[in-house]
Amino acid sequence: AQSVTQPDIHITVSEGASLELRCNYSYGATPYLFWYVQSPGQGLQLLLKYFSGDTLVQGIKGFEAEFKRSQSSFNLRKPSVHWSDAAEYFCAVGPSGGYNKLIFGAGTRLAVHP
Amino acid sequence: GAVVSQHPSRVICKSGTSVKIECRSLDFQATTMFWYRQFPKKSLMLMATSNEGSKATYEQGVEKDKFLINHASLTLSTLTVTSAHPEDSSFYICSAQTGNYGYTFGSGTRLTVV
């Protein structure tokens, strides 16, 4: 069965430091992979997605992610974190099932120290 | 870009009453919409997939009679929580599929049942 694992529940970094959020997936075919960000009490905003092609994907807000098939990973990175990046980050994989459902990881809560 | 409007953003209702949450695609037609429930500090749990003009497909364990979903037009899907109880209090988020594996999320509805 398809699944997504985000091993880190909570990460704290200092402003200006680099960031890497981990995501591992289990999927029977070539996956479509997504990273979303959620601010408190808000919906989800798409940061980036990978369907095919170049395995290094650039997204909004300076984020990037690298698809590594051999490791079944799609880690999110940012070279320099800003205080406004504090939020919940979700990795997702799809499609799943006949209606192209997304399967979400448990999320990683990012705190940024000044 | 594609915008999904979800209303209301917050609602408080008395136990035993019903609450309707609307999800509208503002500038595109959404054949398929998804309804999620999110518990505090938890990931998104897919409740059901709604397709315009047909019955919704519910995930295992989700009560169809408790959570009524209607997708009567290509721009509107509604979730009605019937006979709400305090355990139904949660954050509900809708999502519309846009084009080829694009997903746009609403801003969510915080439901509190007292």
Side-chain angles (χ1 to χ4, degrees), chain B residues 60-73:
Chain B
Q60 192 172 9
V62 177
E63 298 177 62
K64 301 179 182 180
D65 296 332
K66 158 72 78 177
F67 300 100
L68 299 179
I69 291 173
N70 184 277
H71 194 157
S73 77

Side-chain angles (χ1 to χ4, degrees), chain A residues 32 34 36 38 41-44 46 49 51 90 95 99-102 104-107 109, chain B residues 32 34 36 38 41-44 46 49 51 57 59 91 93 97 100-101 103 105-107:
Chain A
Y32 291 1
F34 306 79
Y36 288 90
Q38 183 183 34
Q42 299 295 315
L44 275 67
L46 179 67
K49 60 186 177 184
F51 287 176
F90 293 97
Y99 294 109
N100 302 324
K101 297 180 292 186
L102 287 182
F104 284 87
R109 182 168 297 275
Chain B
T32 303
F34 305 91
Y36 295 87
Q38 186 178 31
K41 299 184 180 180
K42 298 291 186 183
S43 187
L44 285 77
L46 180 65
T49 303
N51 286 280
T57 302
E59 296 298 302
F91 192 62
I93 307 176
Q97 186 168 353
N100 188 21
Y101 303 116
Y103 304 87
F105 287 79
S107 56

